[in-house]
Amino acid sequence: MTTSAPVPTGPDAPIPSQGTVTDRLVDANERYADAFADPGMDARPVLQVAVVACMDARLDLHAALGLELGDCHTIRNAGGVVTDDVIRSLTISQRALGTRSVVLIHHTGCGLESLTEEFRHELEMEIGQRPSWAVESFRDVDQDVRQSMQRVRTSPFLLHTDDVRGFVFDVKTGLLREIDPV
């Protein structure tokens, strides 16, 4: 049973004549809903896994990992770094919704490798207010995956920290490379 309808994408997809990209998304949702069938599942992931990954548009996580609707929780942010909010989401995922495994995915060519905490200072100069959040930029993607694994493994809020694995996704080949936590 399929639960999704194809959504036109790319340069040939129709764009509303007087609309925005958001209008295009809403139109696509209407077409999706026309063919939608309730899959009859709840919010508990079938595979009991949460995937934390970068928000980069080049990462199609479900396709890259062979996942189907309902298989996992997906938590994405800039860099795929483990922040307090990621710990919050993982805690809810584990304690309320039964996940037991955590997969962390960073990727090659990440934009956070070219940013620094100076980005926050620039925002403060432009807006007049310093952001309360850290940029979480990094220079070594492998080391940042190790740091993210360590943050998950040492969180007092998480029940299951024995199956935490980290990877770097190569945006040129589509392959995952596992990172040794040591």
Side-chain angles (χ1 to χ4, degrees):
M1 159 182 37
T2 182
T3 58
S4 63
V7 176
T9 59
D12 298 330
I15 297 176
S17 58
Q18 296 296 319
T20 64
V21 171
T22 303
D23 293 327
R24 177 176 155 184
L25 299 176
V26 171
D27 289 344
N29 174 256
E30 289 174 7
R31 291 187 298 279
Y32 170 82
D34 286 342
F36 184 77
D38 179 358
M41 58 180 70
D42 67 15
R44 293 177 176 272
V46 173
L47 299 179
Q48 297 181 319
V49 64
V51 178
V52 178
C54 185
M55 66 186 190
D56 191 296
R58 296 172 290 181
L59 277 66
D60 183 349
L61 291 175
H62 277 73
L65 300 175
L67 296 168
E68 299 293 330
L69 181 67
D71 281 349
C72 72
H73 283 161
T74 305
I75 304 162
R76 296 181 80 157
N77 67 20
V81 296
V82 175
T83 61
D84 286 346
D85 195 58
V86 168
I87 294 294
R88 171 189 159 273
S89 293
L90 288 172
T91 301
I92 292 166
S93 178
Q94 287 190 358
R95 291 180 175 265
L97 297 165
T99 59
R100 300 185 63 84
S101 300
V102 178
V103 173
L104 305 169
I105 301 177
H106 285 33
H107 65 91
T108 57
C110 185
L112 283 188
E113 291 176 291
S114 62
L115 285 177
T116 67
E117 290 299 318
E118 182 67 20
F119 182 76
R120 291 175 70 221
H121 177 70
E122 292 166 3
L123 282 173
E124 181 180 18
M125 301 283 49
E126 177 184 334
I127 297 168
Q129 180 180 345
R130 187 177 196 98
S132 60
W133 38 264
V135 173
E136 295 278 353
S137 60
F138 52 87
R139 293 283 179 249
D140 181 336
V141 68
D142 290 19
Q143 181 55 34
D144 203 64
V145 171
R146 285 186 198 93
Q147 176 177 291
S148 290
M149 285 190 283
Q150 185 65 16
R151 285 178 177 174
V152 171
R153 288 189 173 123
T154 59
S155 173
F157 304 108
L158 299 175
L159 295 171
H160 307 287
T161 58
D162 55 321
D163 188 15
V164 177
R165 293 172 66 184
F167 300 86
V168 174
F169 177 86
D170 187 314
V171 298
K172 301 284 188 207
T173 67
L175 290 173
L176 290 175
R177 178 174 51 82
E178 188 158 10
I179 301 302
D180 185 351
V182 182

